[in-house]
Amino acid sequence: MDSFLNNFSLLVLILLVATPLALAQTKVGFYSTSCPKAESIVQATVKKHVNSDSTVAPGLLRMVFHDCFVQGCDASILIDGSNAEKTAGPNLLLRGYEVIEDAKTQLEAACPGVVSCADILALAARDATVEVGALTYRVPTGRRDGRVSLASDTSNLPSFKDPVAVQKKKFADVGLSAQDLVTLVGGHTIGTVACQFVSYRLYNFTNSGGADPTIDPSFLPTFQSLCPQNGDGNKRIALDYGSGNNFDRSFFKNVRDNRGILESDQSLWQDSTTRNFAQRFMGIRGLAGLTLNVEFGKSMIKMTNIGVKTGTAGEIRKVCSKIN
């Protein structure tokens, strides 16, 4: 009997310790009572900025991606500082900060100290993709903002040079599957990249100075004309050649045809698992099809719940660029 009571007490203790973590969840409609107009304010703000500059949409999508892979989705990417995340190499060209600050200013006026910057970023990323053709999805909210932002923590961010095996590990390390990887990389159906990040594939990929052999030879002259040798490294080109402003599945067709712009994107076709998912998004006959618009929302929900801070963890920043 004593043994039973001891074991029962231990079980109760474990449950009591575990419960706060188990209940630390985001949920759809978190602000329905505390700030009923929160989501509509973010949506209207994003719409205004994207209508003014369509490149804001992929910028916000990339920003939330870079935030969630470092310290979880806690808006640490937004914090200013000499050694903050935004100063790290992979984050130097991120854009869209002004959209988040605009939405935050309006939300602080409507509901002071209620809506987190982390939730604004997750909502803004969704709303931005909808503005360029993606289907909407319901974003669970209730995140709180982190208090730590260090450039040194960005080493685990997926890189444009990562082979697919490395990409799969980085995604798995944060609880995302190979299907999530292909789906989220499919977000490159919109957006651009600076030539400085792809020129090495065109002119200096091999020891003899040749081009990346995985590039379609018939596409190589076109690719090189987009990023001329010794040209402007800051010139930007579409990540999805021929369809860079539309949220569609043409990105996967380009990868199939060896016309992926980033080395990391093209590598998806070199792995049987990731290639299979890409083929399913393309609607290859004989394979169970996947719809990018549907799966993208599901994977975004998973990604934007990585390492979230809820309950009493973190804080609600008054200004997104600095800790309270």
Side-chain angles (χ1 to χ4, degrees):
M1 185 64 177
D2 288 341
S3 175
F4 171 80
L5 290 175
N6 288 337
N7 289 336
F8 180 76
S9 297
L10 178 60
L11 177 60
V12 170
L13 178 61
I14 292 173
L15 289 173
L16 287 173
V17 171
T19 296
L21 295 176
L23 295 179
Q25 302 289 332
T26 56
K27 67 176 183 179
V28 172
F30 181 83
Y31 297 110
S32 59
T33 300
S34 59
C35 192
K37 294 184 178 180
E39 294 198 25
S40 62
I41 288 174
V42 175
Q43 182 181 40
T45 304
V46 170
K47 184 179 183 67
K48 176 185 70 175
H49 283 273
V50 173
N51 285 346
S52 175
D53 179 3
S54 62
T55 64
V56 166
L60 289 169
L61 181 56
R62 184 171 178 230
M63 185 184 294
V64 75
F65 186 93
H66 282 223
D67 181 53
C68 290
F69 268 74
V70 181
Q71 298 286 346
C73 306
D74 65 351
S76 53
I77 188 64
L78 304 176
I79 298 173
D80 287 338
S82 59
N83 294 303
E85 288 174 35
K86 62 168 61 175
T87 69
N91 296 330
L92 290 177
L93 297 180
L94 289 181
R95 46 185 325 215
Y97 294 109
E98 71 283 358
V99 183
I100 307 303
E101 290 292 356
D102 187 356
K104 180 61 172 175
T105 298
Q106 296 180 59
L107 286 166
E108 282 300 301
C111 314
V114 174
V115 183
S116 69
C117 299
D119 277 340
I120 295 172
L121 183 52
L123 290 166
R126 185 271 311 272
D127 295 336
T129 58
V130 170
E131 286 299 314
V132 294
L135 291 179
T136 192
Y137 54 92
R138 303 181 75 189
V139 176
T141 46
R143 299 166 189 78
R144 288 170 65 87
D145 302 321
R147 297 189 180 99
V148 177
S149 183
L150 298 171
S152 57
D153 288 337
T154 63
S155 58
N156 64 327
L157 280 171
S159 165
F160 61 94
K161 287 186 176 182
D162 281 346
V164 69
V166 173
Q167 294 182 67
K168 287 166 73 173
K169 183 180 187 309
K170 287 182 177 179
F171 274 69
D173 286 345
V174 293
L176 297 176
S177 67
Q179 179 174 332
D180 293 319
L181 161 63
V182 177
T183 304
L184 293 170
V185 171
H188 286 168
T189 183
I190 57 173
T192 60
V193 63
C195 284
Q196 62 183 296
F197 299 113
V198 297
S199 289
Y200 74 96
R201 295 188 68 204
L202 305 175
Y203 309 105
N204 303 299
F205 193 80
T206 65
N207 291 333
S208 59
D212 183 344
T214 66
I215 299 173
D216 172 18
S218 67
F219 177 62
L220 182 59
T222 299
F223 199 166
Q224 290 175 326
S225 71
L226 294 171
C227 292
Q229 191 168 22
N230 302 317
D232 181 4
N234 293 317
K235 179 187 176 185
R236 303 192 70 84
I237 64 172
L239 286 166
D240 184 6
Y241 176 72
S243 185
N245 294 319
N246 301 311
F247 197 95
D248 55 30
R249 63 183 184 180
S250 66
F251 168 82
F252 297 109
K253 294 180 180 178
N254 277 329
V255 170
R256 175 199 62 188
D257 296 337
N258 292 317
R259 296 186 173 195
I261 300 301
L262 297 181
E263 182 182 358
S264 56
D265 289 351
Q266 189 57 58
S267 73
L268 296 178
W269 203 255
Q270 298 163 12
D271 174 270
S272 60
T273 301
T274 53
R275 181 172 62 247
N276 177 265
F277 287 121
Q279 291 173 323
R280 291 172 66 185
F281 278 123
M282 290 164 53
I284 297 295
R285 183 174 296 178
L287 295 176
L290 291 171
T291 302
L292 178 61
N293 254 320
V294 174
E295 299 305 323
F296 187 76
K298 294 178 183 178
S299 291
M300 282 292 288
I301 290 170
K302 286 179 65 176
M303 187 192 74
T304 53
N305 270 292
I306 294 172
V308 293
K309 296 170 176 63
T310 59
T312 58
E315 64 183 15
I316 305 296
R317 283 184 225 138
K318 297 177 182 178
V319 177
C320 290
S321 59
K322 63 182 181 180
I323 300 167
N324 290 344

